Amino acid sequence: MTDQQTTDVAEPEEETSNLPPKVPRLPPGEWMKKNLFSSVGNSILTVVFVLVILAITRGLLGFAFSPERRWDATATNMRLLFAGAYPQNQFVRMWVSLGIVVALGGLSTGVWRAGGRMYLTSLLLKGYGVGGAVVLVGILAPFSGSARLSYFLVGGLLIAASFAVQSATDEDTTVGTLAVGLVGVSIAVGSFWVIPYGHHAFIDGAQVVSDGTVAATTKGPLTVMVILAVLTYFLGREIADRVDAGWPRKVLSLSWLASPVVIVFFVLRDPDFDYGHIATTEVPIFLAYAVGGGLLLFALASPRIGEVGRIIAAVTLIAAAATFLTPMLQVIRILALMLAVFALAAPTFSGNRAARLRYVTVWAGVVLGLLWLITAINSPATVESNSSFFTGGLALTLIVASFTMILSFPLGVILALARTSNMPLFRVMSTTYIEFVRGVPFITILIFFSVLFPLFLPENMEVTEIAAVTIGFTLFSAAYMAENVRGGLQSIRRGQYEAAEALGMTTAQKTVFIILPQALRVSIPPLVGQTIGTYKETSLLAIIGLFDLLFVARSLIPNQTSFIGSVREQLLFASVIYWMGAYAMSRASQNLERKLGVGER
Amino acid sequence: MSDAASASVRDLSGATNMIECEGVSKWYGDFQALNSVSATIKEQEVVVVLGPSGSGKSTWIRCINKLEHHQEGRIVVDGVELTNDLRNIEKIRSEVGMVFQQFNLFPHLTVLDNITLAPIWVRKKPRGEAESAARALLDRVGIPEQADKYPGQLSGGQQQRVAIARALAMEPRVMLFDEPTSALDPEMIKEVLDVMKGLARSGMTMIVVTHEMGFAREVADRIIFMEDGMIVEVGTPEHFFTNPTEDRTKLFLSQIL
């Protein structure tokens, strides 16, 4: 798709590379003259700002590299910061989870053929920049003579190496961005095997400090991750070469969607998990609904069924309502309601055999997803641990944030559609919900779901605390998501509705095929903003006594006898971790926007 | 011009009524947009609606496929009266194709998907059949090579031709054109009008709101002149352009020609 756009403007010989035409770069002297010293006022501002930045950097470096800093507190508690009090003998599950993400990432990069090429000169420019920064650190930080010298040496080497490469290569040389990234990560991970960072940890409650390289339990798995990333990348490329790219992409997208569920299953379940219950309850329910409901929907999605179909759908709805009159498993009721919704919508998505089969497949997917979700909420986590708060740190933050993201998005879309619909009942309900949630402080909702929500559950149903607060996060976030999506809906021009209506589309068809795809594209920036907000708001979990990353950094570590009062170091470290996550999301959304921008003016 | 002559003398007296409007009135608040509009359009007839801006031309044809709701009178399309029954409306809309001034193509879909979406989901056609029909239609409007592009990559004239193909893909019995060339650059108007002329010759029933006098003179079986929400004058192009009876028609023509 992008090819078509570029061929319109680019010269034919440019077709092989995706790089934009190179803009001639000004010599550094002229660039500075043009941008920094163009007038007297500009020059004064430049000098003042450079001095301010230097002062701030000096202060920050003075703080970070002061001999009083207890960075060994951070190093010793790395496990606590990342995974909370997760039992050490089960820790391999955390690595398996990370492995799933890395493998999916590698496969996706390969299948989508992501990663372009960049000019070597722009990479070398970064080399000069980093080298300069290292030298600057050496100048500004409060080091002893020999340490200062080593910084000068490293920075000088970087600059010299960049210069050497630049003079040895052609101006138009390009390098693969993925290769550059891989080399960077490999150097970082490889340094764990070579450079004596020292080994700090709590092992069975006893503090261990030793010289030498990082512990094998850290550098080993990390090395495996790098290898896994490379292998899966090439596997993904092989797959993309051999088969039509359509279905691997679909499978991968679904795998990404399912990955948090799978990972939580890995992280939270213990080997004694009650699979017998799954086999005797969840599996039969799934089969009954997927097969029975599937057959019903396959029949209802026939274009020729007519009035009879509507009557059957109405009967399904009544039957679903009737399930609430007698005691039975919640799952059965919820799925019955979903089946009724699907039955009512069947005429809208009816069509030939392929269309009907697709509809039934979507139904089976919904049944599977709902069952899994409800099972996960229903069964308390049972990892062996003497503390009930076994998941904590960054893992807890990521679990709550990613589930909130996945669940609140569809809910927000439904709320936004309800709020803009013509049906007064839906509109009033949705508006009331959104305005209520937006008018209540988040902490209230969090405390409600942590303390009171379990009391409202039907008998024999319990939820884990993580599930309860995730529901709270989801319901809160959905209200804001709904308002963002509503903004997108309002940006769709009247003509789009009219064109769809003039073609005889039903409201559902119009919404699914025309309005939502456009509205969601427009809503990406505010939706990502909301997601980043949720990610950071997980730090409020500390209020209800869960040990999230910030709580570990702020309260747990500074209270350990060896590291009393080392709170500022931990806060700085936690900020960096939060920033990296938020920045990654922000970049991902920019990429997504650029990709989806295809075809728009 | 022989085409024009043959078009003007086409005998449609035996044809069935495709659209009947009787005393159609519509108000926007206190403002009366349509004032008791009555007209009958026969099968295969090409009617051009003329009139100054704000005279209710667009409102009237938008009432015919219920994009606007008339408050008084009745509209019958192909024997089915327009009521508020939802299924009734969807049935009529799939029989009546509409082309808009602003094209209103779906910007997130390729040209081919724009055309096949409604046949697949509303008409329930198999995808393969819908796609080959769409390609045939693109061929007919003269842009077969643009099937996989996005609307934003096409010129205005090409976009409007895709919009015509999209409407035709539903195999409508009537086509409504709401100022189809008003948003186009002058050099693109001809390519769209040529497509419309071909369509008229193929026997499609058409109602065209336009300011293109040449098109009206050449293609129309009848011209309806509207002002202030009322039909002022109805007649053949010859009558209308050479010998109009109403003063307001004469004034309009003197300003425009």
Side-chain angles (χ1 to χ4, degrees):
Chain A
M1 289 184 277
T2 38
D3 291 347
Q4 284 170 353
Q5 271 201 327
T6 45
T7 44
D8 284 348
V9 286
E11 270 85 66
E13 72 262 25
E14 292 271 328
E15 268 185 352
T16 44
S17 115
N18 283 328
L19 292 172
K22 220 172 153 191
V23 184
R25 193 174 277 127
L26 289 173
E30 279 189 37
W31 184 89
M32 277 167 64
K33 197 174 167 191
K34 187 180 163 211
N35 291 290
L36 300 176
F37 302 101
S38 58
S39 67
V40 178
N42 196 347
S43 309
I44 293 173
L45 278 179
T46 302
V47 171
V48 168
F49 273 102
V50 166
L51 288 177
V52 167
I53 291 169
L54 284 179
I56 292 174
T57 314
R58 191 187 158 82
L60 206 62
L61 290 171
F63 170 80
F65 289 100
S66 152
E68 292 162 29
R69 291 285 86 77
R70 300 296 309 269
W71 289 113
D72 56 332
T74 314
T76 310
N77 286 293
M78 222 37 120
R79 194 176 280 244
L80 196 61
L81 284 162
F82 278 100
Y86 201 77
Q88 275 176 25
N89 57 354
Q90 312 264 322
F91 212 76
V92 64
R93 298 184 194 195
M94 287 284 180
W95 289 114
V96 170
S97 307
L98 185 60
I100 292 175
V101 174
V102 168
L104 278 177
L107 280 172
S108 305
T109 319
V111 167
W112 266 275
R113 302 185 176 287
R117 297 187 72 77
M118 63 196 285
Y119 284 112
L120 188 60
T121 38
S122 62
L123 181 69
L124 293 175
L125 213 63
K126 289 198 179 81
Y128 290 128
V130 173
V134 172
V135 172
L136 196 68
V137 168
I139 297 170
L140 293 175
F143 287 134
S144 64
S146 64
R148 209 183 286 278
L149 207 64
S150 68
Y151 271 80
F152 291 161
L153 207 65
V154 171
L157 269 177
L158 259 171
I159 295 174
S162 302
F163 185 76
V165 175
Q166 185 168 24
S167 40
T169 53
D170 191 12
E171 265 231 338
D172 295 325
T173 316
T174 60
V175 285
T177 46
L178 283 178
V180 172
L182 181 68
V183 168
V185 173
S186 303
I187 290 175
V189 173
S191 75
F192 289 152
W193 293 91
V194 182
I195 298 176
Y197 292 112
H199 175 202
H200 305 261
F202 278 119
I203 292 175
D204 297 327
Q207 191 184 345
V208 176
V209 182
S210 65
D211 291 338
T213 57
V214 174
T217 47
T218 304
K219 62 188 177 189
L222 281 177
T223 312
V224 172
M225 294 302 149
V226 176
I227 296 169
L228 187 65
V230 177
L231 288 182
T232 48
Y233 168 72
F234 283 109
L235 182 64
R237 288 198 66 130
E238 280 299 305
I239 293 173
D241 281 342
R242 271 150 213 259
V243 294
D244 172 38
W247 73 260
R249 289 182 184 186
K250 270 182 202 158
V251 170
L252 275 175
S253 306
L254 278 176
S255 310
W256 275 113
L257 211 59
S259 61
V261 185
V262 179
I263 286 171
V264 163
F265 202 73
F266 259 112
V267 172
L268 298 187
R269 304 281 163 240
D270 78 334
D272 307 330
F273 182 68
D274 190 1
Y275 288 100
H277 184 261
I278 302 258
T280 53
T281 316
E282 269 81 5
V283 173
I285 292 176
F286 169 73
L287 285 178
Y289 270 103
V291 177
L295 286 174
L296 177 72
L297 291 175
F298 188 77
L300 289 182
S302 159
R304 283 183 299 280
I305 195 160
E307 279 307 307
V308 185
R310 284 172 207 273
I311 293 166
I312 296 176
V315 170
T316 318
L317 184 62
I318 293 167
T323 58
F324 284 84
L325 299 177
T326 50
M328 60 176 71
L329 280 176
Q330 285 295 338
V331 191
I332 298 180
R333 292 174 176 160
I334 294 171
L335 285 175
L337 265 186
M338 290 302 298
L339 180 62
V341 170
F342 267 73
L344 288 171
T348 292
F349 299 100
S350 64
N352 60 355
R353 218 178 119 77
R356 291 159 77 185
L357 280 177
R358 195 160 50 232
Y359 196 58
V360 172
T361 315
V362 171
W363 162 248
V366 166
V367 177
L368 187 62
L370 264 177
L371 261 178
W372 200 335
L373 208 63
I374 292 169
T375 313
I377 292 174
N378 247 337
S379 40
T382 46
V383 168
E384 278 174 65
S385 165
N386 36 16
S387 154
S388 55
F389 306 117
F390 55 87
T391 344
L394 187 64
L396 176 69
T397 298
L398 290 181
I399 287 173
V400 173
S402 54
F403 267 85
T404 304
M405 224 176 288
I406 291 173
L407 299 178
S408 65
F409 177 67
L411 190 59
V413 170
I414 291 170
L415 280 171
L417 288 174
R419 190 167 184 176
T420 52
S421 87
N422 293 326
M423 285 177 257
L425 186 65
F426 285 166
R427 204 170 53 229
V428 168
M429 275 167 56
S430 166
T431 311
T432 312
Y433 174 79
I434 292 170
E435 294 305 332
F436 175 74
V437 171
R438 293 207 308 165
V440 174
F442 178 54
I443 292 173
T444 323
I445 292 177
L446 200 56
I447 292 173
F448 173 85
F449 275 92
S450 151
V451 181
L452 294 177
F453 177 64
L455 305 178
F456 284 89
L457 291 173
E459 263 182 88
N460 301 326
M461 182 167 176
E462 31 178 338
V463 296
T464 61
E465 179 138 44
I466 295 182
V469 297
T470 306
I471 293 171
F473 265 98
T474 302
L475 295 179
F476 182 78
S477 173
Y480 285 84
M481 290 249 177
E483 287 300 274
N484 294 334
V485 174
R486 191 164 70 98
L489 288 173
Q490 281 171 344
S491 75
I492 307 298
R493 283 179 301 131
R494 182 94 208 98
Q496 293 290 311
Y497 290 88
E498 288 180 350
E501 282 163 17
L503 289 167
M505 289 191 196
T506 62
T507 309
Q509 288 167 342
K510 192 171 65 183
T511 310
V512 172
F513 299 126
I514 308 300
I515 306 304
L516 269 187
Q518 297 185 58
L520 292 181
R521 200 201 82 87
V522 179
S523 316
I524 291 173
L527 285 177
V528 173
Q530 169 66 24
T531 306
I532 293 176
T534 305
Y535 165 68
K536 291 185 294 185
E537 270 166 17
T538 51
S539 53
L540 289 171
L541 285 172
I543 288 170
I544 53 161
L546 290 179
F547 294 178
D548 78 301
L549 173 62
L550 192 63
F551 186 75
V552 171
R554 182 174 58 100
S555 302
L556 288 194
I557 300 175
N559 284 325
Q560 291 166 344
T561 35
S562 333
F563 306 119
I564 280 185
S566 67
V567 64
R568 287 182 292 176
E569 295 88 330
Q570 317 313 327
L571 285 181
L572 190 61
F573 181 77
S575 320
V576 172
I577 297 282
Y578 275 116
W579 174 79
M580 279 176 7
Y583 184 68
M585 280 191 249
S586 173
R587 287 303 294 262
S589 100
Q590 284 168 24
N591 279 336
L592 192 65
E593 270 173 69
R594 211 171 324 129
K595 283 231 173 78
L596 296 182
V598 172
E600 296 265 3
R601 278 265 187 203
Chain B
M1 276 288 115
S2 62
D3 275 338
S6 65
S8 329
V9 297
R10 235 171 4 152
D11 181 19
L12 293 164
S13 55
T16 52
N17 290 345
M18 186 57 92
I19 297 170
E20 293 165 55
C21 296
E22 267 178 46
V24 175
S25 296
K26 172 167 183 64
W27 286 263
Y28 290 114
D30 288 338
F31 173 72
Q32 185 163 15
L34 292 179
N35 187 351
S36 189
V37 172
S38 298
T40 303
I41 285 101
K42 295 206 183 275
E43 197 169 0
Q44 302 214 346
E45 193 176 16
V46 178
V47 173
V48 170
V49 186
L50 297 177
S53 310
S55 58
K57 319 179 289 283
S58 291
T59 310
W60 177 43
I61 71 163
R62 287 159 63 88
C63 280
I64 292 174
N65 70 351
K66 206 82 173 163
L67 287 180
E68 306 279 356
H69 297 251
H70 59 284
Q71 285 134 347
E72 270 179 16
R74 56 196 285 271
I75 299 176
V76 180
V77 178
D78 202 13
V80 184
E81 182 173 357
L82 274 184
T83 57
N84 282 324
D85 184 343
L86 209 61
R87 265 174 277 167
N88 206 344
I89 296 173
E90 275 159 18
K91 183 176 181 318
I92 285 173
R93 278 178 179 160
S94 61
E95 301 286 333
V96 179
M98 178 120 186
V99 176
F100 300 88
Q101 183 179 355
Q102 299 295 342
F103 329 135
N104 293 345
L105 293 178
F106 306 130
H108 60 299
L109 299 177
T110 62
V111 165
L112 197 67
D113 288 338
N114 260 282
I115 299 174
T116 54
L117 188 68
I120 289 172
W121 292 101
V122 180
R123 282 262 190 260
K124 311 296 183 192
K125 267 194 189 178
R127 179 173 294 270
E129 199 180 299
E131 280 183 3
S132 54
R135 289 187 191 278
L137 280 170
L138 281 176
D139 207 32
R140 185 167 162 192
V141 299
I143 40 173
E145 72 286 357
Q146 311 285 7
D148 297 318
K149 289 198 181 171
Y150 285 87
Q153 297 167 305
L154 304 183
S155 73
Q158 289 171 331
Q159 289 194 46
Q160 192 60 297
R161 285 189 279 164
V162 172
I164 294 174
R166 179 176 70 177
L168 289 176
M170 291 294 285
E171 293 159 10
R173 309 209 45 197
V174 186
M175 285 283 282
L176 307 176
F177 292 85
D178 187 3
E179 306 205 19
T181 54
S182 300
L184 295 177
D185 293 337
E187 75 270 21
M188 292 169 184
I189 290 177
K190 186 175 174 296
E191 62 189 50
V192 172
L193 289 182
D194 284 345
V195 170
M196 289 168 63
K197 284 175 197 165
L199 200 57
R201 275 184 219 117
S202 73
M204 176 64 77
T205 314
M206 291 164 63
I207 305 181
V208 184
V209 172
T210 187
H211 295 293
E212 296 296 324
M213 294 303 146
F215 177 82
R217 201 192 290 255
E218 187 181 335
V219 182
D221 293 307
R222 241 181 339 148
I223 289 179
I224 293 178
F225 179 71
M226 289 181 74
E227 191 167 35
D228 297 334
M230 283 183 288
I231 293 183
V232 175
E233 187 162 0
V234 182
T236 62
E238 269 175 50
H239 162 82
F240 186 81
F241 284 107
T242 53
N243 189 21
T245 43
E246 299 288 327
D247 287 344
R248 278 185 289 180
T249 316
K250 286 176 190 160
L251 181 66
F252 175 74
L253 286 174
S254 71
Q255 283 166 340
I256 209 159
L257 289 178

